[in-house]
Amino acid sequence: QWQAVQLGGVIFYDVGSVYQNLDTLQVHHAVGVGARLLFPQFNRYPFTFDAGMSFNPGFRIVPSLMGGQFVPITAAEDPP
């Protein structure tokens, strides 16, 4: 029986870089949107879909799909 489905959304700004030394450092910027879908009657992990758009040369949109929670929601959920 379906009791509830929770739907949420996010807007994000991301900055980052990977480099071998400070001489080659180039910071990359991106923005994006995402959706979160949770079926609490099955488990506590949301399904996520995010799409980000880079501001750097070589415009592209990078989608990602994931299931799971990165950080425990409460202290009681931390593994012993």
Side-chain angles (χ1 to χ4, degrees), residues 4-64:
V5 174
Q6 299 174 7
L7 178 65
V10 296
I11 298 173
F12 62 88
Y13 173 72
D14 187 34
V15 177
S17 182
V18 176
Y19 57 93
Q20 292 180 348
N21 56 49
L22 290 177
D23 296 335
T24 61
L25 174 65
Q26 287 185 323
V27 178
H28 300 279
H29 303 267
V31 295
V33 295
R36 306 291 183 265
L37 183 63
L38 177 65
F39 299 96
Q41 60 272 26
F42 295 123
N43 61 32
R44 62 186 171 93
Y45 300 111
F47 294 98
T48 66
F49 176 78
D50 295 330
M53 179 182 74
S54 174
F55 284 130
N56 296 92
F59 170 82
R60 66 182 191 203
I61 295 177
V62 180
S64 68

Side-chain angles (χ1 to χ4, degrees), residues 60-75:
R60 66 182 191 203
I61 295 177
V62 180
S64 68
L65 179 64
M66 182 185 73
Q69 183 73 25
F70 288 123
V71 179
I73 298 172
T74 66

